[in-house]
């Protein structure tokens, strides 16, 4: 979404910025709406939500980083969720040992 620079992300990861929204360009309410719409789109496309915990870089004890000023769990999850394609599950036939078909496919 290009709302922050790589330098700003580095500063956030190094704990020089307390939360990423502080330096984000644009309307935060619109960003929240966009993130919610992205989640709905990902669900419609049957993508799998993958939550990532972001930890600080550098010396000393690692701390979990915040995205939002409020630190509200719902907002933090919206920001830290990546969407990935679901892995196809393969059927294994005991009789033939055939590993080629995926769930839902039939042989021709």
């Amino acid at each position: 979404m290009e709302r922050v620079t790589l330098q700003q992300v580095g500063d956030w990861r190094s704990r020089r910025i307390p939360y990423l929204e502080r330096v984000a360009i644009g309307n935060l309410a619109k960003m929240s709406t966009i993130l919610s719409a992205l989640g709905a789109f990902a669900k419609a496309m049957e993508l799998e939500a993958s939550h990532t915990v972001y930890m600080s870089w550098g010396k000393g004890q690692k701390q979990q980083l915040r995205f939002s000023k409020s630190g509200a769990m719902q907002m933090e999850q919206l920001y830290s969720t990546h969407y990935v394609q679901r892995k196809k599950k393969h059927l294994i036939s005991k009789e033939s040992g055939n590993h080629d078909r995926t769930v839902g496919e039939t042989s021709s």
Side-chain angles (χ1 to χ4, degrees):
M1 292 179 11
E2 298 182 10
R3 301 291 181 182
V4 294
T5 66
L6 288 177
Q7 177 66 45
Q8 290 168 326
V9 172
D11 288 345
W12 172 66
R13 296 295 299 256
S14 299
R15 297 181 299 217
R16 290 187 290 270
I17 296 173
Y19 53 92
L20 207 51
E21 281 184 346
R22 184 173 188 169
V23 294
I25 297 170
N27 183 309
L28 297 179
K30 285 183 181 180
M31 284 182 27
S32 175
T33 302
I34 291 167
L35 289 170
S36 295
L38 178 63
F41 174 78
K43 186 174 182 178
M45 297 302 295
E46 297 183 359
L47 298 176
E48 186 173 334
S50 175
H51 298 283
T52 302
V53 176
Y54 287 84
M55 302 300 286
S56 62
W57 291 344
K59 295 181 180 178
Q61 186 175 3
K62 305 301 179 216
Q63 297 175 351
Q64 186 170 343
L65 297 170
R66 280 189 9 214
F67 287 90
S68 65
K69 181 178 182 178
S70 69
M73 183 62 80
Q74 180 183 5
M75 284 306 303
E76 296 297 315
Q77 284 192 341
L78 282 175
Y79 279 115
S80 65
T81 300
H82 302 259
Y83 298 97
V84 296
Q85 286 185 328
R86 292 186 178 163
K87 295 178 183 174
K88 293 182 180 181
K89 297 179 183 177
H90 293 276
L91 292 175
I92 299 173
S93 171
K94 290 182 182 179
E95 296 82 25
S96 66
N98 185 351
H99 302 281
D100 294 335
R101 288 186 275 158
T102 58
V103 173
E105 289 183 352
T106 59
S107 58
S108 318

